[in-house]
Amino acid sequence: MDPEALRKYSALHPKPAGLALQYGTAGFRTKAQQLDHVVFRMGLLAVLRSKAVAATIGVMVTASHNPEEDNGIKLVDPLGEMLHPSWEEYATQLANAEEQELQKVISEICQKAAVNPHKDALVFIGRDTRPSSEKLSQSVIDGILVLGGQYHDYGLVTTPQLHYMVCCQNTQGQYGKATLEGYYEKLSKAFMELIKQSHSSGEGQRHLKIDCANGIGALKLSEMKPYFPQEVLIHIYNDGTKEKLNHLCGADFVKVHQKPPGGLDMKPNERCCSFDGDADRIVYYYKDATGHFHLIDGDKIATLISIFLKELLAKVRQNFRMAVVQTAYANGSSTRYLEETLKVPVHCVKTGVKHLHHKAQEFDVGVYFEANGHGTVLFSKAAETKIRQLVKEEKDDEKREAAKVLENMIDLINQTVGDAISDMLVIEAILALKGLTVQQWDALYTDLPNRLLKVQVADRRVIDTTDAERRAVTPPGLQEKIDALVKKYKWSRAFVRPSGTEDVVRIYAEADTQENADALAHEVSLAVYHLAGGKGAPPQP
């Protein structure tokens, strides 16, 4: 490491005085103008991580579903997974170090993490369509070069595409080719193989309207269009040419506000979906004949995929262990349907993709989705090997055909991370193969009415939870109060958890009617306000 070069470049990317940021599940996120020093330093960290694990590391410049003025950065580990938790701490230390301590902090990381300075380093870079992203990714490159790393800049890509490239590179191409063409070819080929067998009823079924949140999803979906046959009719809306990223549109907007996005004209019973700003989340929805809006969120997506995979697994007659992983935010009706009707084991983990991904890795087939539409399916190495072997060698027709469908599903699913494009194609293939309309899919179960609220508190750390965030341990008396309130309503449950990013406590409640869910959420929010140091005026109903 050349201390002089580090000093010189670091001075070009100065840290604003008094700014402290935390590397969380989504990496760093804040106003774009506060990020220059952070992304430069994440270029440095990516080189150290690459040397430590002797593999290619990814750096993605995006703030996902945040407003256009924000930006962010996250690192991608060798198999396309999120950065290892021990390195999240190094990221925070490095981002917040004062200029004169930079050298020392780097040396400390090298020591603690056993970084081999003589190893080569390679970093893959991607960015979303925000106006600030190009300049910020240049700053990342500065950081990489200072520490003698090499880089490949993919330019504009979706977050899941960058995860995919990193995984392809580090599996020596076993997962696929580390190019956009490779991604489009692998997914479109698997998709076409699947829908070949569908006897889809008429034209209408194949039309899909997609709200791309005025983000990167629109660009990449347009690039992928030529890879599909004529009968795949996808219509792109909110493509970024007219409006601002994520403004009144995108998966997050639709899920939070429970209404269709702007910029997309919906006719009754048309199938529609929304991506988020960096295309790693997807939700579906439609309007019925009476004009009523129906949201199909991550829970119902996980259910559809689980039904389909369970049928196939029964046909191949292997003892594969399958499970669905959810968080406490999953609607109670979805959990009940999966456990009681489908007879699939359900596991609940803490909020945050890394917790879901980690748990899903314990099974031969692990389906995980957050209610917000971020999710995927993981197949164990053993299951994948066995399925591919059955396709080649199985004599029994039914078994071999089912294995073939499973093999195409494995190729269509982006197992590194939730991927809106891949998930959309999986859903479209399943609906076509099962001959289901969006209404029939929606009718699998009825969501329990629910309400999300937040209460401002002086310090979010006063709330500590257990049992996958479903029960509060502190402050004393809060959980007892919640238990008593929940007893008042039918089919009800409620939980509270501290936000990961701001001094607010998030409250979730569900019950048999919307009125009861709203009342329960309000009563719980009052309990939080009084017992956990609420700020400002008490919550109003």
Side-chain angles (χ1 to χ4, degrees), residues 215-270:
I216 184 72
L219 282 180
K220 300 295 130 179
L221 209 48
S222 309
E223 283 178 11
M224 194 171 183
K225 258 186 159 177
Y227 291 83
F228 294 129
Q230 256 43 59
E231 62 267 26
V232 180
L233 303 163
I234 50 180
H235 307 280
I236 298 174
Y237 294 82
N238 295 326
D239 63 0
T241 52
K242 298 184 199 65
E243 292 289 336
K244 277 174 76 164
L245 175 70
N246 295 325
H247 182 59
L248 304 180
C249 62
D252 201 58
F253 173 83
V254 173
K255 169 77 179 151
V256 171
H257 296 279
Q258 307 268 329
K259 65 179 187 188
L264 186 150
D265 168 40
M266 278 172 84
K267 295 187 177 61
N269 296 327
E270 280 187 328

Side-chain angles (χ1 to χ4, degrees), residues 19 21 33 71 77 157 226 230 301 381 388 394 409 486:
L19 180 68
L21 296 169
Q33 63 271 25
N71 217 324
D77 255 357
V157 286
Q230 256 43 59
I301 292 173
K381 220 51 233 113
R388 294 197 194 272
E394 181 54 53
M409 281 309 256
V486 164

Side-chain angles (χ1 to χ4, degrees), residues 364-413:
D364 289 310
V365 181
V367 180
Y368 76 80
F369 269 83
E370 289 187 296
N372 65 25
H374 187 288
T376 186
V377 184
L378 305 183
F379 293 87
S380 71
K381 220 51 233 113
E384 187 176 327
T385 306
K386 185 71 197 163
I387 288 162
R388 294 197 194 272
Q389 186 194 339
L390 288 171
V391 173
K392 287 198 184 78
E393 299 168 11
E394 181 54 53
K395 300 280 181 282
D396 178 82
D397 285 354
E398 191 194 39
K399 255 170 118 169
R400 190 181 60 253
E401 283 310 306
K404 204 166 172 169
V405 175
L406 279 169
E407 181 177 49
N408 284 314
M409 281 309 256
I410 290 170
D411 288 336
L412 183 53
I413 290 163

Side-chain angles (χ1 to χ4, degrees), residues 290-484:
T290 65
H292 185 69
F293 177 79
H294 295 253
L295 174 72
I296 300 179
D297 65 5
D299 299 335
K300 228 166 225 175
I301 292 173
T303 306
L304 177 73
I305 293 173
S306 300
I307 290 171
F308 187 69
L309 291 177
K310 186 163 192 249
E311 286 171 3
L312 292 169
L313 293 172
K315 286 180 184 163
V316 296
R317 302 197 288 281
Q318 304 293 318
N319 282 330
F320 290 142
R321 287 176 62 230
M322 175 175 167
V324 176
V325 187
Q326 296 182 326
T327 70
Y329 286 111
N331 195 281
S333 294
S334 73
T335 313
R336 203 167 293 122
Y337 180 88
L338 286 162
E339 289 182 330
E340 293 169 17
T341 308
L342 255 197
K343 304 274 188 281
V344 170
V346 177
H347 296 267
C348 185
V349 297
K350 276 165 67 169
T351 307
V353 179
K354 58 183 174 189
H355 302 297
L356 290 138
H357 193 90
H358 190 71
K359 186 71 185 172
Q361 286 173 320
E362 293 176 19
F363 307 97
D364 289 310
V365 181
V367 180
Y368 76 80
F369 269 83
E370 289 187 296
N372 65 25
H374 187 288
T376 186
V377 184
L378 305 183
F379 293 87
S380 71
K381 220 51 233 113
E384 187 176 327
T385 306
K386 185 71 197 163
I387 288 162
R388 294 197 194 272
Q389 186 194 339
L390 288 171
V391 173
K392 287 198 184 78
E393 299 168 11
E394 181 54 53
K395 300 280 181 282
D396 178 82
D397 285 354
E398 191 194 39
K399 255 170 118 169
R400 190 181 60 253
E401 283 310 306
K404 204 166 172 169
V405 175
L406 279 169
E407 181 177 49
N408 284 314
M409 281 309 256
I410 290 170
D411 288 336
L412 183 53
I413 290 163
N414 184 346
Q415 292 185 59
T416 65
V417 72
D419 181 337
I421 293 177
S422 157
D423 290 337
M424 174 189 84
L425 295 172
V426 167
I427 292 162
E428 290 302 306
I430 295 173
L431 293 176
L433 284 166
K434 291 187 71 64
L436 286 173
T437 63
V438 67
Q439 297 83 341
Q440 289 168 317
W441 172 20
D442 187 32
L444 288 172
Y445 61 81
T446 305
D447 274 327
L448 282 169
N450 56 81
R451 178 64 63 207
L452 278 161
L453 293 175
K454 52 187 185 183
V455 175
Q456 284 213 302
V457 290
D459 181 1
R460 65 180 185 268
R461 290 169 302 189
V462 299
I463 294 213
D464 193 21
T465 63
T466 184
D467 186 24
E469 300 177 315
R470 289 176 289 190
R471 297 188 70 76
V473 185
T474 62
L478 178 60
Q479 188 57 51
E480 290 71 15
K481 183 76 179 145
I482 294 171
D483 291 341

Side-chain angles (χ1 to χ4, degrees), residues 7 18 38 44 48 67 72 83 104 161 167-168 171 189 247 255 295 305 351 395 448 481 485 498 507 524 540:
R7 256 200 304 276
V38 174
L44 302 172
L48 300 180
L83 182 63
K104 183 169 124 266
Q161 284 176 335
C167 183
C168 291
T171 55
K189 180 171 171 283
H247 182 59
K255 169 77 179 151
L295 174 72
I305 293 173
T351 307
K395 300 280 181 282
L448 282 169
K481 183 76 179 145
L485 292 169
I507 290 145
V524 171
Q540 296 303 307

Side-chain angles (χ1 to χ4, degrees), residues 205-224:
Q205 284 308 303
R206 292 229 173 94
H207 279 278
L208 174 67
K209 289 183 167 178
I210 306 159
D211 152 34
C212 289
N214 290 311
I216 184 72
L219 282 180
K220 300 295 130 179
L221 209 48
S222 309
E223 283 178 11
M224 194 171 183

